[in-house]
Amino acid sequence: MADRLTQLQDAVNSLADQFCNAIGVLQQCAPPASFNNIQTAINKDQPANPTEEYAQLFAALIARTAKDVDVLIDSLPSEESTAALQAASLRQLEEENHDAAARLEEVVYRGDMLLEKIQSALADIAQSQLRTRNGAPTQPSPAES
């Protein structure tokens, strides 16, 4: 993955390519201009040009690429971002990370406790089934007595 500046340079190069291609195609498809009401056979016999379609296509491509350039520029650090501001931002991120880690540890602990309860219940069920298969009398649970 390229860094932001490389992505920005690639987007600007792509935008320049699109401008050049648009100008070239539109110039190639443009109808010839008439000079002092002189009509030539070329003007009369020339088929309809899809100039409008090309214009819309290139306008959409150029607009999308320009929007990408704007997004990349906005993602760059600002000139106002000093070392002190960056350090403060990093401290805040570290605090958020620490809080998230503490929450994660609590969730893991509760998950481990729940897992132990489930395993204990499964072991009790397995023991009960083994006693039932072996014909041993089952001991009534405290709730049954």
Side-chain angles (χ1 to χ4, degrees), residues 52-84:
E52 185 64 32
E53 292 175 18
Y54 286 134
Q56 290 176 356
L57 172 68
F58 283 114
L61 287 172
I62 290 168
R64 184 174 54 213
T65 305
K67 185 176 180 181
D68 292 345
V69 168
D70 285 342
V71 168
L72 287 168
I73 288 172
D74 289 341
S75 71
L76 294 173
S78 67
E79 292 177 3
E80 299 154 358
S81 180
T82 64

Side-chain angles (χ1 to χ4, degrees), residues 1-69:
M1 181 81 188
D3 65 357
R4 289 187 196 142
L5 287 177
T6 304
Q7 290 175 339
L8 180 59
Q9 184 62 49
D10 291 344
V12 169
N13 287 341
S14 177
L15 190 60
D17 287 343
Q18 290 170 359
F19 275 123
C20 289
N21 289 338
I23 290 170
V25 169
L26 293 176
Q27 184 180 17
Q28 179 183 7
C29 295
S34 61
F35 294 102
N36 297 329
N37 296 330
I38 300 175
Q39 294 293 326
T40 62
I42 296 174
N43 284 347
K44 294 177 184 174
D45 297 334
Q46 188 171 359
N49 291 321
T51 306
E52 185 64 32
E53 292 175 18
Y54 286 134
Q56 290 176 356
L57 172 68
F58 283 114
L61 287 172
I62 290 168
R64 184 174 54 213
T65 305
K67 185 176 180 181
D68 292 345
V69 168

